Amino acid sequence: MPIRVVLADDHPLTRSGIAEYLKRESTLELLGEAEDGVKAWQLIQDLKPDVVLLDIRMPGLDGVSVAQKVKEAGLPTATIMLTSYDAQQYVMASLRAGAKGFVLKTVSPKELTAAISTVARGGLYLDPEVASVMGERDFDPEQLSVREREVLVLAAKGLSSKEVAGKLFISERTVQTHLASIYDKLGSKNKTEALLLALKYGVVTLEELLED
């Protein structure tokens, strides 16, 4: 039985490209498309898809708000956020809203299918294009020091370098030095990549990221 999907993205070219692929994939069934969050939420309520692909930034309701509504309503729909490397400020909000997947808009058709299948089964999916920044090598979580993990977790929660410094009783410059070291060790270019790679390789867990 195909996985039933709703797609929401306010960029016509992106949406049409993804939609065409979904229609051709025999393991998936595209139930509907939305160009904004309001319509996406309506489609989700009406059609109750297995999975919804949500652009993080949309007019009306953004993807995070739609995911939150799905969570609060207790609907049996898994949410995947369509994102980009510069959307770090939305990642933690998406996790809190119950998002089960993060897919870059440069994702290959094969990996998009893998993402949808994974979250439909109840798993968490992190785009391998993020992981490919550091190649196919294994990563040992022990490569990050205890202090670097602390800095990464706080930064991932949205704290500024100054706020992280205050929490850990270190200088802001020291925080920035730790972040540079973290990026280098993980092979990431920014907080979004670092967070997703850290989750993928077990450096941090969703539970500790979502702790207040």
Side-chain angles (χ1 to χ4, degrees), residues 23-62:
K23 291 173 184 176
R24 294 195 305 268
E25 177 53 53
S26 62
T27 63
L28 307 174
E29 179 185 358
L30 179 61
L31 300 182
E33 301 175 45
E35 67 277 2
D36 59 57
V38 174
K39 183 176 180 181
W41 174 231
Q42 189 61 57
L43 286 176
I44 293 167
Q45 293 178 90
D46 293 343
L47 304 175
K48 295 181 174 57
D50 302 308
V51 174
V52 58
L53 297 171
L54 294 170
D55 185 9
I56 284 184
R57 299 185 180 103
M58 290 188 293
L61 287 172
D62 60 28

Side-chain angles (χ1 to χ4, degrees), residues 137 139 142-149 151-152 173-190 194 197 203:
R137 68 180 177 84
F139 181 80
E142 296 300 321
Q143 289 183 45
L144 292 190
S145 69
V146 173
R147 178 62 84 189
E148 286 172 341
R149 284 187 75 263
V151 169
L152 176 58
R173 183 172 181 177
T174 299
V175 171
Q176 293 168 347
T177 298
H178 282 314
L179 286 173
S181 176
I182 290 166
Y183 296 164
D184 182 61
K185 290 178 179 180
L186 286 172
S188 60
K189 296 190 287 289
N190 52 46
L197 284 168
V203 177

Side-chain angles (χ1 to χ4, degrees), residues 121-147:
R121 295 193 305 267
L124 174 70
Y125 189 89
L126 305 174
D127 195 317
E129 288 193 26
V130 176
S132 70
V133 172
M134 59 187 291
E136 295 302 319
R137 68 180 177 84
D138 292 329
F139 181 80
D140 181 1
E142 296 300 321
Q143 289 183 45
L144 292 190
S145 69
V146 173
R147 178 62 84 189

